[in-house]
Amino acid sequence: MQWQLDFISYEDFKKHVSNTIANYGKKLDAYDLAKFNRNTIDPIKMTFDKAIYGISWETVFANEIFRQRDKSNANEIGYFHQRLFEYLPYCHVPKNGHEGGWDVIYTPPEKVDIDGFPVSKIYVEMKNKHNTMNSSSASSIYTKMKTTISNEFGVACFLVEAVAARSQNEVWVTSVNKQKVHHNLIRRVSIDQFYSLVTGDPDAFYKICKVLPSVINEVLNENKDSILIPHDVVYSEFEKLSESLLPVSQDSEELAIDLLGFHTYSGFDRIFESLSSEGQRKITGK
């Protein structure tokens, strides 16, 4: 592959992709019924999903396992976006919880102009998606940024979003205590615009996206023997649990689903207590 990214070396980019994949792999431990239910599933939603989408219980379980893994791996994508800046000039990625809790601190070699203000440092809070903040979270982040630019002269604060609603670099307008607030040096920036600022290449993020699939495949091919595909046994254990409930109910699968989430609820608790210790362990993980 001819490497065309002049702001990061092939070796550093491949290393970072490899680290991200390794972190993904840690989430691939196989699921049994007990591990599946540690996240407190929603039996009512699963019942609606099965009926409305016309799918089997096996598919319902597979979808929920994917959702649980996907939720966990969303953190690894955050890691990918944030930690890639470790390899870029003039960018610093603090340890988690250190240096004010910022995700990235960019100190350009020369001051940059932001709406007529010369800025010598930019503090960054990163988000994977533009719609992941609730009003309380947005208020907290904005207040932190406002305090920072008030206490430190010549700095700006960016909320950088990997998946923004659109490409943007604009004043962040939000609400704090139900009041609209904004400041020229507190900005909402899509990640392509931030890469453009940091690297001087307006197509930097585009170039990263273009090479990413081939580098991922290269890393996977080189490590295919060490990347284990999980063998989940959730559905087979669920089948055994539902079979044990046949003397109680002909709708044993539906009852088994309800027991996963409601085994301490009135009515369900009596059925749960009638199960073998192994059946109880499969539901509670204890």
Side-chain angles (χ1 to χ4, degrees):
M1 181 198 316
Q2 185 176 1
W3 194 246
Q4 297 181 348
L5 278 63
D6 57 10
F7 49 86
I8 185 171
S9 70
Y10 165 76
E11 291 75 18
D12 283 343
F13 190 79
K14 184 179 178 181
K15 175 184 176 183
H16 186 58
V17 169
S18 181
N19 289 340
T20 305
I21 290 173
N23 289 337
Y24 247 78
K26 293 174 184 177
K27 310 298 189 304
L28 291 180
D29 292 342
Y31 273 66
D32 59 12
L33 194 60
K35 179 177 179 179
F36 173 82
N37 201 38
R38 284 189 200 123
N39 289 301
T40 312
I41 58 96
D42 184 346
I44 301 300
K45 180 181 183 301
M46 293 176 73
T47 301
F48 270 102
D49 286 350
K50 179 180 183 296
I52 293 173
Y53 298 134
I55 56 180
S56 66
W57 281 120
E58 186 172 10
T59 301
V60 171
F61 279 110
N63 289 346
E64 175 62 18
I65 290 170
F66 178 84
R67 186 196 68 79
Q68 291 186 16
R69 283 197 175 110
D70 188 57
K71 183 178 180 181
S72 179
N73 281 326
N75 295 328
E76 304 312 328
I77 298 306
Y79 162 91
F80 173 81
H81 287 302
Q82 177 194 10
R83 294 288 166 182
L84 188 56
F85 285 94
E86 288 181 335
Y87 303 98
L88 271 58
Y90 313 113
C91 288
H92 169 58
V93 178
K95 293 181 180 179
N96 288 341
H98 290 69
E99 300 179 56
W102 299 104
D103 293 320
V104 180
I105 300 174
Y106 173 53
T107 307
E110 299 178 357
K111 291 182 179 180
V112 296
D113 181 274
I114 298 180
D115 275 2
F117 294 91
V119 167
S120 57
K121 185 179 292 185
I122 297 173
Y123 294 98
V124 174
E125 183 88 19
M126 297 194 77
K127 295 294 179 185
N128 285 359
K129 293 184 178 180
H130 68 94
N131 58 355
T132 54
M133 287 190 304
N134 57 31
S135 58
S136 176
S137 176
S139 175
S140 177
I141 293 171
Y142 185 90
T143 300
K144 171 184 171 181
M145 291 179 170
K146 185 63 164 55
T147 300
T148 299
I149 63 173
S150 297
N151 293 339
E152 190 172 347
F153 180 76
V155 303
C157 294
F158 284 7
L159 174 67
V160 173
E161 297 164 324
V163 185
R166 56 187 173 81
S167 180
Q168 61 190 16
N169 182 346
E170 61 190 22
V171 173
W172 182 21
V173 180
T174 187
S175 296
V176 175
N177 298 325
K178 298 183 179 180
Q179 297 291 321
K180 287 287 185 184
V181 291
H182 60 87
H183 192 287
N184 286 47
L185 296 177
I186 299 177
R187 306 184 70 82
R188 194 166 192 167
V189 182
S190 55
I191 201 166
D192 66 317
Q193 295 284 344
F194 186 56
Y195 268 108
S196 177
L197 175 65
V198 169
T199 66
D201 183 348
D203 292 334
F205 186 65
Y206 166 80
K207 292 176 180 178
I208 287 172
C209 293
K210 292 292 287 183
V211 301
L212 182 59
S214 60
V215 176
I216 290 175
N217 288 332
E218 185 174 340
V219 172
L220 289 175
N221 288 333
E222 291 175 359
N223 297 275
K224 56 186 176 183
D225 294 333
S226 61
I227 297 175
L228 302 177
I229 304 301
H231 177 61
D232 300 318
V233 295
V234 176
Y235 181 66
S236 62
E237 291 189 350
F238 168 76
E239 284 187 307
K240 292 178 182 177
L241 175 63
S242 63
E243 287 171 3
S244 73
L245 292 169
L246 278 172
V248 179
S249 171
Q250 290 304 304
D251 298 321
S252 59
E253 289 185 329
E254 286 74 11
L255 179 56
I257 285 289
D258 289 338
L259 280 175
L260 291 180
F262 304 138
H263 62 274
T264 65
Y265 285 23
S266 180
F268 295 107
D269 58 346
R270 294 192 296 274
I271 299 172
F272 175 76
E273 289 169 3
S274 72
L275 294 175
S276 67
S277 58
E278 177 64 14
Q280 293 180 1
R281 187 200 66 78
K282 288 185 185 302
I283 291 174
T284 64
K286 300 177 183 178

